[in-house]
Amino acid sequence: MLAESHVDDELWDEFHRVVNMSSRELSDWLRTRSAEPETEALPDQAGTPTGQQVLGILRKRRTDLDAKDVRVMRSVVDRVLAERRDDLEPTPGQANWRRRLMSLGHDPLKAP
């Protein structure tokens, strides 16, 4: 377990700025995305591996984050910002783009 000081304030704040979906919203989205008529995933296995990792991070206290969580947080921040402007203003974009970002916990239609 990492001490809180290992998750620096900048990363913590930036992660929670770009991940603008609640754990419930993300969980619902991951289950919806994985629902197929013949092969629906179990709820706790639904969605992408990164989406599941983000969901796990959202459900943890800051002091309970480990080194893997910190790597995922950095990766998600980098990926979202690479696809968005820094201001994160609501933008509809194309459906596949929105779905991809939502699988990371970022809804581009939501205000920051």
Side-chain angles (χ1 to χ4, degrees):
M1 183 176 353
L2 285 178
E4 185 174 326
S5 61
H6 287 95
V7 181
D8 64 67
D9 290 341
E10 184 178 343
L11 176 59
W12 177 261
D13 293 343
E14 193 67 0
F15 178 80
H16 287 284
R17 183 175 80 94
V18 302
V19 175
N20 62 1
M21 296 170 71
S22 68
S23 60
R24 181 174 194 102
E25 290 169 327
L26 179 55
S27 178
D28 289 348
W29 170 251
L30 293 175
R31 283 196 310 274
T32 300
R33 283 284 288 162
S34 293
E36 295 180 14
E38 298 173 16
T39 59
E40 186 169 349
L42 296 172
D44 62 340
Q45 298 172 355
T48 64
T50 304
Q52 281 295 321
Q53 290 170 321
V54 170
L55 186 57
I57 291 167
L58 291 174
R59 291 177 171 164
K60 288 183 180 181
R61 295 176 306 180
R62 184 174 178 172
T63 56
D64 293 334
L65 297 174
D66 60 26
K68 182 177 180 181
D69 295 327
V70 171
R71 284 191 302 274
V72 170
M73 290 170 74
R74 283 194 178 103
S75 174
V76 167
V77 167
D78 291 345
R79 289 170 65 184
V80 170
L81 292 180
E83 298 213 25
R84 297 292 321 265
R85 295 184 314 266
D86 284 338
D87 62 9
L88 300 180
E89 285 300 313
T91 305
Q94 295 183 353
N96 285 339
W97 175 76
R98 181 175 184 231
R99 287 192 296 267
R100 185 172 60 249
L101 287 170
M102 287 180 68
S103 292
L104 297 174
H106 177 80
D107 184 348
L109 295 179
K110 234 180 171 180

